Amino acid sequence: MNTFFCGCGSRLHFENSGCLACGSAVGYLPDENRMAALEPGDNGLWKATGHSRAPDRLWRMCRNYELESVCNWMTPADSGDLFCTACLLNRTIPNLGVEGNRELWGKLELAKRRLVYTLLRLELPVVSRFRDPERGLLFDFLADDKIEFAEGQKVFTGHSSGVITINVAEADDAVREKMRLNLREVYRTLLGHFRHESGHYYWDQLVVGHPGIDQARAVFGDEREDYAAALQRHYSSGAPANWQNSYVTPYAAAHPWEDWAETWAHYLHIMDTLETAAAQGLAIGCEGRNRVLSNTFGRDFGEILEDWHALRLVLNSLNRSMGMGDAYPFVISASVAAKLTFIHNWISEATREFRATPAGVT
């Protein structure tokens, strides 16, 4: 995550909808990757203050910002969109008639915006399935309660044909922690779910049908293996004893699709966390010198991984000093590093192809 400042010079956080110092309304401009103080204009539109490529451009608050206060993103007034880039991806929101669901929805939206932020920084295609029925993305935020479903029916977080479903209960910290303990996981976060499921979506978009798919199979395995049987084997027998040598998590060992999605999620963890550290000007004492962390985007992944190894040690040490568990309780083996590098290079090549494709041609 980048570092943002209000026009008054005060620090702004990605979650802010107002500046605590000067009281200005603020919003995130995804087209410009910046938080901006807002000046009201005519007809409910806004002008963003500060440096801009188009200083006279007018903006509209996302409808979920203006009416629901669960978003802080803006959309260009001339686009005609009532919802921002992230909220256009919604197909189903939680039932707001259920007590507590509005708060959980806010947490879901924040995690989704963080996901979309990183996807846009990677220059990956982010388009609503309402706009592109064949290749677009949608989110369903569903709860297994009696109001939405028949009694006893459960919602499973997952991806299918461009639709990512997130169980609303995952936004409840207490419920999610209980599930983590029951499943003996070392790490379970709402943002992690979004990143993992987006991996399944981008497998379909970037790998399926690609002439180089056999390269992906050589790294992650053949995804044509029976998925249901693989999951049944995983849940009955668990991961192989030496899973750490080849996989970033035990679940990644279940099936090549899950290996890709788990590795994809960790790639996004690394890229976003390192961007945050670099934006803060963080330097880490390493081997007798200060290692100044650099922006992750557009760099060789070997260099990125060196920065990550240095940073994760600091993150984990800081957490231990506060009596908390490790921020990143994972070991990146040589095999996992190769998989992360593969994803980095695959994305880089895909975005070069996107830029080379004439507008309107798919």
Side-chain angles (χ1 to χ4, degrees):
M1 186 64 60
N2 204 350
T3 302
F4 305 107
F5 295 92
C6 179
C8 71
S10 298
R11 174 72 178 271
L12 294 175
H13 296 284
F14 186 64
E15 301 85 358
N16 287 150
S17 57
C19 176
L20 297 179
C22 69
S24 296
V26 300
Y28 179 69
L29 315 180
D31 292 6
E32 301 184 8
N33 185 30
R34 69 184 182 101
M35 297 285 291
L38 304 171
E39 294 179 350
D42 297 331
N43 302 316
L45 301 180
W46 299 80
K47 183 177 180 180
T49 63
H51 178 72
S52 173
R53 296 189 300 267
D56 296 326
R57 194 176 197 182
L58 295 176
W59 299 83
R60 176 181 288 110
M61 284 183 171
C62 172
R63 182 62 61 89
N64 285 337
Y65 183 177
E66 184 178 27
L67 299 182
E68 304 291 350
S69 299
V70 294
C71 182
N72 65 344
W73 281 25
M74 309 295 288
T75 183
D78 55 13
S79 72
D81 291 327
L82 298 180
F83 293 93
C84 69
T85 302
C87 289
L88 280 171
L89 303 176
N90 288 353
R91 185 171 73 171
T92 310
I93 65 170
N95 185 338
L96 300 183
V98 176
E99 184 178 358
N101 268 5
R102 180 174 291 277
E103 179 184 356
L104 298 180
W105 181 31
K107 293 181 178 181
L108 287 160
E109 291 295 341
L110 176 56
K112 186 188 67 181
R113 291 198 303 277
R114 281 190 170 267
L115 167 69
V116 173
Y117 171 92
T118 305
L119 298 177
L120 293 175
R121 294 286 283 129
L122 290 168
E123 300 183 45
L124 287 164
V126 181
V127 60
S128 170
R129 209 166 184 81
F130 293 126
R131 296 276 176 81
D132 184 346
E134 296 297 321
R135 303 181 64 84
L137 174 64
L138 287 175
F139 286 90
D140 284 340
F141 300 142
L142 303 175
D144 39 21
D145 58 58
K146 296 179 182 179
I147 293 179
E148 293 184 14
F149 292 98
E151 185 174 1
Q153 187 170 347
K154 299 294 183 181
V155 174
F156 293 97
T157 294
H159 167 265
S160 179
S161 302
V163 179
I164 291 176
T165 299
I166 304 290
N167 190 320
V168 174
E170 292 288 352
D172 186 313
D173 296 340
V175 172
R176 191 179 60 256
E177 178 64 7
K178 182 178 180 180
M179 294 175 69
R180 186 189 70 81
L181 294 172
N182 288 342
L183 294 172
R184 299 181 179 179
E185 297 173 338
V186 297
Y187 184 86
R188 188 182 185 95
T189 67
L190 185 57
L191 181 54
H193 281 307
F194 277 89
R195 287 174 171 165
H196 174 97
E197 299 306 335
S198 75
H200 287 301
Y201 168 74
Y202 282 104
W203 170 274
D204 288 350
Q205 303 307 311
L206 305 182
V207 182
V208 173
H210 192 284
I213 191 172
D214 285 339
Q215 299 173 35
R217 288 169 176 159
V219 175
F220 294 94
D222 193 333
E223 85 290 353
R224 292 169 293 188
E225 174 191 358
D226 187 294
Y227 182 66
L231 287 190
Q232 184 177 10
R233 180 178 65 248
H234 173 77
Y235 285 117
S236 62
S237 303
N242 61 344
W243 65 265
Q244 296 96 332
N245 295 337
S246 302
Y247 304 97
V248 70
T249 65
Y251 189 55
H255 186 274
W257 278 338
E258 299 305 340
D259 192 11
W260 167 275
E262 286 286 86
T263 309
W264 176 279
H266 280 254
Y267 175 74
L268 298 187
H269 290 335
I270 290 169
M271 297 296 281
D272 187 34
T273 307
L274 277 175
E275 185 191 22
T276 302
Q280 298 290 332
L282 187 64
I284 298 174
C286 183
E287 298 179 351
R289 63 183 179 85
N290 282 337
R291 184 182 188 89
V292 180
L293 301 183
S294 302
N295 193 298
T296 51
F297 300 98
R299 296 174 63 205
D300 175 81
F301 193 71
E303 298 174 357
I304 293 172
L305 200 55
E306 288 181 10
D307 280 354
W308 179 245
H309 284 315
L311 178 60
R312 72 181 180 87
L313 292 175
V314 174
L315 289 175
N316 289 344
S317 296
L318 288 172
N319 266 29
R320 293 179 188 185
S321 296
M322 293 293 293
M324 301 172 65
D326 286 353
Y328 190 78
F330 304 96
V331 175
I332 297 179
S333 66
S335 177
V336 171
K339 292 175 180 180
L340 289 164
T341 301
F342 182 91
I343 285 178
H344 177 80
N345 293 339
W346 193 275
I347 290 174
S348 298
E349 181 60 32
T351 55
R352 281 194 292 269
E353 293 176 1
F354 297 145
R355 288 193 294 267
T357 302
V361 177
T362 57

